[in-house]
Amino acid sequence: MSDLRVAVLLSGSGSNMEALVRSMTGDHPARPVLVLSDRPEAGGLGRARALGVPAVAVDRLAFGGDRGRFEAALAEVLEQARPDLVCLAGFMRVLSPDFVAGWAGRMLNIHPSLLPRHRGLHTHRRVLEAGEREHGCTVHEVTAELDAGPILGQARIDVRPDDTEDSLAARVLAREHVLYPAVLRRVAQGVRGPLLLDGDD
Ligand code: GAR
């Protein structure tokens, strides 16, 4: 059987993309075929090229707020790479229900909270403000509703008394780099039940 083809969409530094790409070697059933960004200046583009993965930007700002035209351009580049799976990895645009519907069950996202808690932005700050004792990250299927698709895996950490927004961001990100590749491997093998990881290491 041929390898599953994986595209990664990002907007930022691409550390999750790098973890995913580095995991797809050897007996892994998938291979990276494209890294795509909505921002030409995203650090993840250079990082992908350094890893030998084709990297393309579709500059959202060039479409002057016309989401339909932006998504059509994104879809064209994506479809040329013929991915079987799409991984959102710090992709900071909300995709329209129509766009998402075309990838139903084949698009994953990583989110820096224990969903269903803290959908959306500023998750680390909101955990601290709520005085919560646990935090983490979630990989889920992307559906039309933001950060609400079926959960495929979560990594949980304890919030420490001296944690700040920055320390939580760093500790959660380190867990993302373990969780996302683990979930991708399972999905590529046809396993969809939730994977639960506990603790910092
Ligand atoms: C990660 O923490 C990811 O969970 C978050 O952006 C960061 C990207 O870092 N994604 C979201 O907040 C999506 N709503 P990276 O570019 O280094 O992978």
Side-chain angles (χ1 to χ4, degrees):
M1 216 177 74
S2 59
D3 291 323
L4 281 186
R5 300 168 63 84
V6 174
V8 181
L9 267 59
L10 54 76
S11 303
S13 76
S15 70
N16 275 290
M17 175 279 300
E18 178 155 358
L20 291 173
V21 166
R22 287 192 183 282
S23 74
M24 287 184 264
T25 58
D27 68 352
H28 199 291
R31 290 291 182 271
V33 295
L34 175 70
V35 168
L36 182 53
S37 176
D38 61 317
R39 294 176 61 238
E41 65 276 26
L45 290 169
R47 211 160 169 167
R49 291 183 192 118
L51 291 162
V53 182
V56 179
V58 173
D59 186 356
R60 184 183 60 89
L61 297 181
F63 297 89
D66 184 335
R67 183 160 84 167
R69 280 182 53 238
F70 165 65
E71 287 191 346
L74 203 63
E76 191 178 333
V77 176
L78 196 55
E79 281 156 20
Q80 275 169 14
R82 294 178 292 107
D84 301 298
L85 280 174
V86 175
C87 291
L88 307 186
F91 184 70
M92 301 309 280
R93 306 261 51 94
V94 177
L95 294 165
S96 69
D98 278 352
F99 190 99
V100 168
W103 292 98
R106 299 184 298 143
M107 183 179 277
L108 315 183
N109 181 44
I110 187 149
H111 182 75
S113 79
L114 293 175
L115 292 172
R117 272 183 266 164
H118 308 303
R119 295 174 183 162
L121 299 175
H122 309 301
T123 57
H124 312 301
R125 186 189 312 165
R126 286 156 62 199
V127 162
L128 289 173
E129 283 171 357
E132 290 172 358
R133 306 280 296 277
E134 62 171 18
H135 188 27
C137 48
T138 302
V139 177
H140 63 94
E141 283 180 28
V142 176
T143 58
E145 194 182 346
L146 183 69
D147 299 332
I151 290 175
L152 301 172
Q154 292 190 308
R156 198 199 67 83
I157 62 168
D158 289 324
V159 177
R160 298 173 182 154
D162 58 348
D163 265 320
T164 62
E165 208 175 320
D166 285 350
S167 71
L168 277 184
R171 292 176 59 218
V172 169
L173 191 63
R175 300 309 289 154
E176 294 183 29
H177 298 160
V178 177
L179 179 70
Y180 210 173
V183 172
L184 173 61
R185 182 182 278 266
R186 283 160 59 96
V187 169
Q189 290 167 339
V191 181
R192 293 270 169 161
L195 171 70
L196 300 175
L197 306 178
D198 205 20
D200 274 276
D201 38 42

